[in-house]
């Protein structure tokens, strides 16, 4: 008699091994792009409120002030009216000073890159490891602050920045003191605006901390 066929059972297929999540933390590119977007929007809105350069350089509106109080009054009035133009002048003087000194420009760019890569836009997890040593956020921040102080105040970079800012402020002060402001008419919304030379950067500065906090999460 023939034997009954033996049942054949197929072994269960081996389940695919779970893919371990990547240990590399994503780079905070969206936070960096958000910061740049807010900064460019704020600067763009401020530059759109600048006064015509022909009005700034109108030769017929220049005269010698009668007294120191007259010069101070002109300077305050012109700072309020031409604040964006004056900020652009100071920025141009600073840019020319850096371009004509490539070493200082490279040092500042390296310092900015260190802040962005090591602290501002680096994810807080995993921690920073350099030469086998782990640095906490507080240690990283303290090290960057010390390096910044050393670069700005103990090298030629600091003297270059200070001299450029002083030269820009001198140009603005001379123009504001000799420019007669009688033909300048401020809008009602601008009478209460801040007359600081760099006040147009306030929007970008306020957006910066929120974006940095999002990048540190």
């Amino acid at each position: 008699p023939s034997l009954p066929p033996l049942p054949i059972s197929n072994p269960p297929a081996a389940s695919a091994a779970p893919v371990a999540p990547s240990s590399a933390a994503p780079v905070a590119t969206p936070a960096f792009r958000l910061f740049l977007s807010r900064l460019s929007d704020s600067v763009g809105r401020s530059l759109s409120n600048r006064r015509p350069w022909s009005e700034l350089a109108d030769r017929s509106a220049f005269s010698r002030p009668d007294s120191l109080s007259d010069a101070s009054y002109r300077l305050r009035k012109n700072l309020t009216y031409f604040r964006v133009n004056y900020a652009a002048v100071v920025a141009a003087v600073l840019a020319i000073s850096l371009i004509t000194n490539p070493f200082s420009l490279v040092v500042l760019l390296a310092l900015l890159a260190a802040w962005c890569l090591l602290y501002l836009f680096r994810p807080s997890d995993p921690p920073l490891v350099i030469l086998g040593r782990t640095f906490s956020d507080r240690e990283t921040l303290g090290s960057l602050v010390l390096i910044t102080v050393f670069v700005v105040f103990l090298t030629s970079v600091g003297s270059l920045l200070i001299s450029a800012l002083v030269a820009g402020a001198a140009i603005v002060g001379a123009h504001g003191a000799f420019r007669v402001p009688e033909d300048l008419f401020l809008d009602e919304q601008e009478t209460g605006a801040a007359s600081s030379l760099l006040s147009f950067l306030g929007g970008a500065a306020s957006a910066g901390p929120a974006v940095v906090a999002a990048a540190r999460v």
Side-chain angles (χ1 to χ4, degrees):
S2 61
L3 297 176
L6 297 177
I8 299 175
S9 60
N10 296 326
S15 58
V19 179
S22 176
S23 58
V27 181
T29 304
F32 183 70
R33 290 178 178 175
L34 179 60
F35 174 78
L36 291 181
S37 176
R38 291 186 178 181
L39 180 62
S40 60
D41 290 343
S42 177
V43 174
R45 287 194 303 267
S46 300
L47 290 179
S48 64
N49 295 327
R50 69 184 182 277
R51 304 300 178 180
W53 292 102
S54 59
E55 189 175 2
L56 186 77
D58 185 9
R59 294 183 178 181
S60 61
F62 286 90
S63 66
R64 184 177 179 179
D66 298 332
S67 62
L68 185 61
S69 59
D70 185 26
S72 177
Y73 166 77
R74 293 183 181 184
L75 182 59
R76 290 196 305 269
K77 196 77 176 290
N78 288 320
L79 278 176
T80 303
Y81 190 81
F82 293 113
R83 62 182 181 275
V84 177
N85 303 74
Y86 285 160
V89 170
V90 174
V93 173
L94 184 59
I96 293 174
S97 300
L98 291 175
I99 292 174
T100 54
N101 292 270
F103 173 76
S104 299
L105 179 60
V106 171
V107 170
L108 287 179
L109 290 178
L111 185 62
L112 177 61
W115 272 97
C116 292
L117 297 178
L118 299 180
Y119 187 78
L120 294 178
F121 302 105
R122 184 187 64 82
S124 58
D125 194 23
L128 179 65
V129 178
I130 300 178
L131 298 178
R133 189 184 185 282
T134 303
F135 291 86
S136 64
D137 288 345
R138 182 174 298 180
E139 291 174 337
T140 304
L141 177 61
S143 301
L144 289 173
V145 169
L146 291 178
I147 294 175
T148 302
V149 171
F150 175 79
V151 169
V152 173
F153 295 101
L154 299 179
T155 65
S156 59
V157 177
S159 60
L160 174 67
L161 294 177
I162 293 175
S163 59
L165 292 177
V166 170
I171 295 175
V172 169
H175 181 277
F178 284 87
R179 175 65 164 82
V180 180
E182 274 70 19
D183 61 332
L184 307 181
F185 300 97
L186 296 177
D187 299 334
E188 294 182 359
Q189 295 179 353
E190 295 182 349
T191 54
S195 60
S196 174
L197 187 60
L198 299 179
S199 62
F200 73 98
L201 291 178
S206 61
V211 177
V212 171
R216 302 297 297 164
V217 176

